[in-house]
Amino acid sequence: MAKNGKSNGNLNLDKVRNLGIIAHIDAGKTTTTERILYYTGKTYKIGEVHDGTTVTDWMEQERERGITITAASITCEWRDHQINLIDTPGHIDFTAEVQRSLRVLDGGIVVFDGVAGVEPQSETVWRQANRYGVPRICFINKMDRVGANFTYSVQTIRDRLKASPIPIQIPWGEGEDFKGVIDLLKMKLLTWSGEMGETVDEGEIPDDMREKAEAEYHRLLEQIIETDDELTEKYLSEEEISVEELQAALRNATLAGAVQPVLCGSALRNRGIQPVLDAVVDYLPAPLDVPPVTGTNPHTGETVERHADDGEPLAALVFKIVADPYVGRLAYFRVYSGAITAGSSVMNTTRDRKERVGRLVRMYADRREDIDRVGAGDIAATLGLKTTFTGDTLSEATRPILLESITFPEPVIQVAIEPKTTADQDKIGLALQKLAEEDPTFVVRVDENTGQTLIAGMGELHLEILVDRMLREYRVAAKVGRPRVAYRETITQKVIAEGRFIQQRGGRGQYGVVEIELTPLEKYEGFVFEDQTRGGPIPREFIPHVEAGIKEAMSSGVLAGYPVVGIKAALIDGKYHEEDSSDLAFKIAGSLAFKEGMRKGRPILLEPVMSVDIVCPDEYTGDVIGNLSARRAEITGVEPRGGGTSTIHANVPLGEMFGYATDIRNMTQGRGTFTMEFDRYMEAPETIANKVIHGLS
């Protein structure tokens, strides 16, 4: 457990768990969450996804489609522990919700389908959890489904995720025969009774399962003692090892990310959820179990460390903004150190602005409960922050800290949008602004050439949901164009270019001259700016404005007006005038130099390439691969999954994937599914580039 049990208000920090439920779409995350809320006493009736009555899927769009779209935050209690729980989406179009949740969470429950095991989106969320170093437990769900196979599912975690799963339970029966689970640490049979499975009955292991249970126990024992030197010595000395010692060692190994305890059950049939809650308390970290958060002092650049302690200076990260049409702007935040009280003033270190905290609320999906204070290690939301956005740091003005922000993938698909009526004309801008504030992967821009408003997102479903929300929440009816690919532009050779902005109109003029060197970066990623001037041909105060001018010019390339990526810009020379030089002159000069360099640098068009995973019956594999090849796909592998199905891995240009959902259904008689996520940008073939540049696509 936590080392010293420091207090957060009336709650010990070692009794707090901040965790998320993550999984592939349709693995049963929301169903599992509903049972957690019921058994912890948060709800008095279990909601069902298929009935549209779940607590965390509260949006109309979620209930209609039976999918999670936005990460919902819930607080509940189990065994005197406060659990701050976030139910995240499984659909790749809403991956930003998973990303920002994992950034502020301490632990995770990863839900797997007992028939399919690890699915493509399971791999994506697992990688995201790895990136943020989030300890996790695994729950093999749907053990009552025909074809459920616990051993196979655990093996897929080991093989596909390169993880170290440790089953601490095994099922009693599978598919239609699934009746309960065997707890390997206590060597007891667990079954469920009561109308909603609220009673957990402990019993003796059936005779026909005892041999298997003992074999699995010894395997579990060996896996745990491998992680603990003291237990290894005890084991070799043939000393008795208690259940408590095994649990403590398993907890330490889980917190270190060395292993992942695996449980099983059927959320829909109300079996197996209470042991998952016990595992959350027993094996997932409290805020004191995770390393102190580190950031930088924005004034000195020094590294600053903050511990999960109310007595330390405030350090909090805003991870989500919700524009509620009724109550206003709601900002979700995680406090890493110090405390926030209602009505207090805080410093937004990211934007160097003071903010006043209005109401503080604890969230129960779409319901709110007012609270006075939020201490270290806790998650809550506030109303009243006007200029704070996702990824911003809140701290004390006298003891500032800047935490690492949250990085999000670039949008890859865009559509033109326009209001249906004149009445909608005035409202559409505000609605788009509010939605863009909420969702960092939703970008709004105006095409300079056509004057059209373009919205960009992570996929067709993502944009469809956002347009639907405009109509329902903001009462704005809009016409949407055909989906278009979010191309990019870059250069292919190193060039030197000059930008001159000189104006004399009597009195004070404008004077700025810069010379820059543009170099293409590998993999067509990112932007780097360097000041290589020596001897001060340009005063230091003008250098940031040259960079700002270059960045502004990068928003629109020279081929077809798409944003520019994958370039290093080095300022190598320039000239200034004692009286006429200004910030604006050097900003414009930087912009002109960049445009000139783009024209000289053999510019090319880049197209987004998606990583696509298709799961289909073996008899259709040939047809699916043939269809993918016609879409300019690079097939990277075919992996048998068992049960007569295979996964086809491919990289496919996004422009070739529109309408694929219908095609895959037709090709496989409705039995094929696919997931798709952005992989990288690649040079577009000349035929495609010419069509885009000349406006034919």
Side-chain angles (χ1 to χ4, degrees), residues 35-197:
R35 271 63 187 172
I36 287 174
L37 296 181
Y38 180 74
Y39 297 132
T40 56
K42 269 295 151 206
T43 56
Y44 301 99
K45 182 183 175 205
I46 293 179
E48 302 294 359
V49 173
H50 52 266
D51 293 335
T53 55
T54 58
V55 172
T56 52
D57 282 357
W58 55 269
M59 291 172 63
E60 290 178 43
Q61 293 87 347
E62 293 177 311
R63 292 182 167 177
E64 287 170 359
R65 292 167 174 81
I67 61 170
T68 302
I69 291 168
T70 183
S73 177
I74 291 276
T75 299
C76 54
E77 291 79 36
W78 183 256
R79 279 172 42 189
D80 296 325
H81 286 65
Q82 176 181 304
I83 299 174
N84 297 319
L85 181 70
I86 297 183
D87 175 24
T88 64
H91 198 288
I92 191 65
D93 279 19
F94 310 104
T95 188
E97 291 289 324
V98 184
Q99 196 111 326
R100 60 172 150 204
S101 300
L102 287 172
R103 171 67 178 81
V104 297
L105 294 172
D106 299 327
I109 303 171
V110 190
V111 182
F112 298 94
D113 184 316
V115 178
V118 172
E119 298 176 88
Q121 184 63 9
S122 314
E123 298 182 44
T124 302
V125 296
W126 193 271
R127 282 198 308 272
Q128 288 172 317
N130 283 344
R131 180 181 169 197
Y132 291 115
V134 176
R136 63 217 87 144
I137 60 175
C138 303
F139 178 56
I140 310 289
N141 190 26
K142 303 190 178 184
M143 287 308 301
D144 59 317
R145 275 185 64 197
V146 175
N149 187 322
F150 180 75
T151 306
Y152 166 78
S153 297
V154 173
Q155 194 59 43
T156 62
I157 296 172
R158 194 171 284 118
D159 295 343
R160 293 178 190 156
L161 303 178
K162 304 295 182 277
S164 303
I166 294 188
I168 58 175
Q169 296 177 344
I170 57 171
W172 179 27
E174 294 177 333
E176 292 175 353
D177 298 327
F178 176 65
K179 303 184 220 40
V181 303
I182 294 168
D183 182 329
L184 295 175
L185 284 166
K186 295 179 180 175
M187 288 301 277
K188 290 287 183 184
L189 173 69
L190 305 181
T191 54
W192 282 264
S193 59
E195 192 181 341
M196 304 307 295

Side-chain angles (χ1 to χ4, degrees), residues 484-543:
R484 297 195 302 172
V485 177
Y487 294 101
R488 295 287 183 267
E489 298 181 25
T490 194
I491 58 171
T492 54
Q493 65 182 30
K494 184 187 287 192
V495 292
I496 292 176
E498 185 184 68
R500 303 172 70 86
F501 184 67
I502 302 172
Q503 286 186 345
Q504 294 294 337
R505 293 180 182 158
R508 185 168 178 181
Q510 294 282 5
Y511 190 100
V513 178
V514 301
E515 192 174 329
I516 62 173
E517 179 183 76
L518 299 183
T519 311
L521 294 175
E522 282 185 29
K523 299 182 182 176
Y524 308 125
E525 287 178 352
F527 167 69
V528 177
F529 177 80
E530 273 185 15
D531 174 23
Q532 294 181 0
T533 56
R534 298 289 179 268
I538 302 173
R540 310 298 314 158
E541 65 265 25
F542 293 134
I543 305 295

Side-chain angles (χ1 to χ4, degrees), residues 314 340 344-348 353-355 357 385 394-395:
L314 174 66
I340 292 180
S344 62
S345 285
V346 295
M347 173 62 76
N348 180 331
R353 298 282 294 271
K354 272 199 169 179
E355 288 270 42
V357 177
L385 303 184
L394 304 178
S395 68

